[in-house]
Amino acid sequence: MDETELLPLEWTNHLLDWYDVNQRELPWRNTGDPYKIWVSEIMSQQTRIEAMKPYFDNWMMRFPTMQDLADASEEEVVHAWQGLGYYSRARNLRLGVQEVVEQYGGHVPRNRKAMESLKGVGAYTAGAILSMAFNQREAAVDGNVLRVYARLYHIEDDILSTKGRKRITYLVEQTLPYDRPGEFNQALMDFGSAICIPQNPRCHECPLSAVCIAYARGDAPSLPIRIKKTKVITISMMVGLLKWGDYYLLHKRPNTGLLRSMWEFPSVEEPASFIEGASHLENQVKKFGCTVVLENECIQELTHLFSHRKWIMRAYRGIITFEGTLESLQAQLPADWQLLKRSEFADYVWAGPHGKLTTLC
């Protein structure tokens, strides 16, 4: 039996009726602007909608058109993205927009293959843009959609597996309305955020509970099934807020790898003790003809989780001694080191959690 026959397709109308009354007012909706939709979808991939809205507004003020974004430098783009994390998304968004400007004359392509060929655009983003901007009957399967369909159709496959995702994508494609595909995809997003939520679904408020198989069987909270295989590596880190007069010493991370080309306070990974960590920090500044005295009291411990690793950061204050002028000290510093006043911090792109430590300066 075709899985779509398990439920009467009238449920899609019920969902759209719910959406007509309860849809969120968002600045990229009802615009038909593929650029705004593109930016909003990339921003919201790892961030709650309410938290990312101010970033979206600021972004559109700074880069109101695709041409503006295409003309911007990577540093400008990453700086505008600061606070959202996962900076590769910002870099890829800029590169993808540049492809549209250069190859398509600034017009977002209207077919899925061309969309998915753009840098940073996957199946979900392509489906969201094509359906929301051009009302094309294209699926946009994200975490909310996987959860809603897993409960409605009682899918017990791991939704992180290829099999589980393909099965649900097939169901979405079969049930996607012909007349309102873009609004249906947005309805699924809002419904998954407001009613069919992860831990404690609000089944008593759900307009689809009468047809939901998981609700009928009493196990909606246990679905979907997600089997995570990613091992998170924990790294302890000693960070020095090293000050010379009114200036702090900063280091620019390499232009490859995690948090590439962003600024950080001098740090040491996996020190065996405070003494060993302090010695490493002292050796870093000795290269510039300086000495440093580090206070042995940790002023803040900060935990930051990336997708595959966790940093446990302990920050310490230190005073740099240098017998010379600011100009002579700056002359000793390579291009990937810098002396900055606290008032200049806002002009620089900070390496993730290091930005949070600026409040201690």
Side-chain angles (χ1 to χ4, degrees), residues 96-164:
V97 165
Q98 286 179 338
E99 290 180 60
V100 170
V101 170
E102 294 167 5
Q103 299 177 25
Y104 298 96
H107 300 288
V108 172
R110 297 195 177 202
N111 71 81
R112 194 170 194 111
K113 184 177 180 180
M115 278 298 307
E116 291 188 22
S117 73
L118 299 175
K119 188 72 173 179
V121 176
Y124 166 76
T125 304
I129 295 171
L130 293 174
S131 64
M132 293 166 61
F134 308 125
N135 204 37
Q136 294 186 15
R137 193 171 180 268
E138 295 284 354
V141 180
D142 69 349
N144 283 322
V145 175
L146 290 168
R147 183 170 62 254
V148 170
Y149 274 78
R151 287 170 176 167
L152 277 172
Y153 289 87
H154 205 269
I155 304 297
E156 294 185 292
D157 296 316
D158 174 15
I159 64 168
L160 299 181
S161 69
T162 301
K163 178 185 176 183

Side-chain angles (χ1 to χ4, degrees), residues 247-261:
Y247 294 84
Y248 287 87
L249 183 65
L250 303 181
H251 172 251
K252 190 174 188 179
R253 293 179 65 86
N255 60 6
T256 60
L258 182 67
L259 302 174
R260 73 184 199 202
S261 302

Side-chain angles (χ1 to χ4, degrees), residues 173-234:
E173 290 171 345
Q174 295 301 306
T175 54
L176 197 60
Y178 284 87
D179 57 340
R180 300 173 65 186
E183 289 178 296
F184 183 76
N185 284 335
Q186 294 175 85
L188 285 170
M189 298 172 199
D190 283 9
F191 182 72
S193 298
I195 303 296
C196 202
I197 57 178
Q199 300 300 326
N200 299 295
R202 298 171 177 141
C203 298
H204 61 287
E205 302 176 31
C206 178
L208 309 180
S209 58
V211 297
C212 179
I213 299 174
Y215 177 70
R217 297 183 183 181
D219 56 3
S222 65
L223 292 174
I225 293 171
R226 300 165 57 95
I227 302 174
K228 293 186 177 182
K229 299 177 182 178
T230 302
K231 182 179 180 181
V232 176
I233 300 172
T234 299

Side-chain angles (χ1 to χ4, degrees), residues 339-350:
L339 285 169
L340 282 185
K341 287 186 176 182
R342 175 68 179 83
S343 59
E344 299 174 290
F345 282 179
D347 297 328
Y348 284 72
V349 180
W350 287 89

